[in-house]
Amino acid sequence: AQSVTQPDIHITVSEGASLELRCNYSYGATPYLFWYVQSPGQGLQLLLKYFSGDTLVQGIKGFEAEFKRSQSSFNLRKPSVHWSDAAEYFCAVGYTDKLIFGTGTRLQVFP
Amino acid sequence: EAGVTQFPSHSVIEKGQTVTLRCDPISGHDNLYWYRRVMGKEIKFLLHFVKESKQDESGMPNNRFLAERTGGTYSTLKVQPAELEDSGVYFCASSQNSGGNTDTQYFGPGTRLTVL
């Protein structure tokens, strides 16, 4: 069955530090993968998506993610975190007409 | 361009009451989706409209939930009667293209429903 796992429920980093949020998926075919972010009081905003081609995809707000088929992973990275990045991050896989989400990772940023 | 809007932002009701949530998609988007996140769990798909037709309602939990999209514009999701386990955040999303798994879905801010 299709599923997405985000192993880290909560991550805390210092401002300026690098960030990696983990995402593993289970999907029988070529996955279509997404990362969304939800800031307080806001809707889910698409950060980036992977459909095919280059396995390193660039997104908005300085984020990038790397698709690794051998590891069934699609980890999100940012080289230097800003306080405004504090939010909840969701990884998702597209399946037929729907998105299947992970449980989310809440990011806290300390000054 | 206005994004997906949802009303109300919060709703607190008692068990057994009825609540209706509304979603206005991005103008021109034929596809409209409802999702729900129960506390601490993942965001789960409820159903998908293409224009006014229900394309996929496989995620609807039971017959206490009724979704409509008259005229293919805004959508409502009614819960009647509400139970405690219906508490959560209800998200609406819309997309422009085919409604398939490569579509970018644009999400609203959600409606937080609390059933007491």
Side-chain angles (χ1 to χ4, degrees):
Chain A
Q2 299 73 26
S3 66
V4 174
T5 301
Q6 292 181 250
D8 305 304
I9 296 172
H10 188 201
I11 283 183
T12 302
V13 300
S14 298
E15 190 169 20
S18 63
L19 173 70
E20 182 170 29
L21 302 183
R22 296 183 290 165
C23 172
N24 292 94
Y25 65 89
S26 173
Y27 192 78
T30 301
Y32 300 109
L33 296 160
F34 304 79
W35 274 100
Y36 282 86
V37 60
Q38 186 181 24
S39 299
Q42 305 295 313
L44 293 163
Q45 182 182 24
L46 180 68
L47 284 175
L48 47 80
K49 59 188 177 184
Y50 170 77
F51 291 164
S52 64
D54 192 347
T55 56
L56 184 64
V57 293
Q58 303 297 320
I60 62 171
K61 304 185 179 187
F63 285 92
E64 65 178 27
E66 186 171 12
F67 170 61
K68 292 185 178 180
R69 184 184 298 275
S70 62
Q71 298 178 19
S72 297
S73 70
F74 188 56
N75 294 349
L76 182 71
R77 301 194 295 246
K78 186 169 185 178
S80 178
V81 170
H82 187 263
W83 63 266
S84 61
D85 293 323
E88 193 159 17
Y89 292 79
F90 296 92
C91 182
V93 63
Y95 174 65
T96 62
D97 60 340
K98 60 182 73 69
L99 293 171
I100 297 173
F101 285 90
T103 50
T105 297
R106 184 168 296 280
L107 175 66
Q108 192 170 8
V109 181
F110 281 115
Chain B
E1 179 185 276
V4 177
T5 58
Q6 293 187 245
F7 182 83
S9 57
H10 293 87
S11 181
V12 181
I13 62 173
E14 293 191 350
K15 176 182 172 180
Q17 290 186 320
T18 298
V19 63
T20 300
L21 314 181
R22 173 172 170 143
C23 168
D24 287 79
I26 293 172
S27 178
H29 282 195
D30 287 340
N31 298 282
L32 188 149
Y33 311 81
W34 284 98
Y35 291 82
R36 176 174 74 172
R37 188 184 192 197
V38 173
M39 178 79 74
K41 300 278 184 80
E42 69 272 28
I43 300 168
K44 281 194 170 180
F45 169 83
L46 296 178
L47 87 159
H48 169 207
F49 283 100
V50 177
K51 298 184 180 178
E52 66 276 9
S53 299
K54 291 176 185 173
Q55 179 75 17
D56 179 358
E57 51 184 330
S58 61
M60 294 287 265
N62 51 61
N63 60 9
R64 295 185 294 103
F65 289 75
L66 175 63
E68 294 181 322
R69 192 182 182 196
T70 307
T73 54
Y74 71 91
S75 174
T76 57
L77 180 64
K78 180 190 288 187
V79 185
Q80 179 182 31
E83 298 288 345
L84 299 179
E85 63 264 26
D86 301 332
S87 295
V89 180
Y90 290 76
F91 291 101
C92 177
S94 70
S95 72
Q96 187 172 27
N97 297 321
S98 64
N101 57 358
T102 59
D103 264 14
T104 294
Q105 296 184 21
Y106 298 88
F107 282 77
T111 293
R112 182 174 297 277
L113 174 64
T114 302
V115 182
L116 303 176

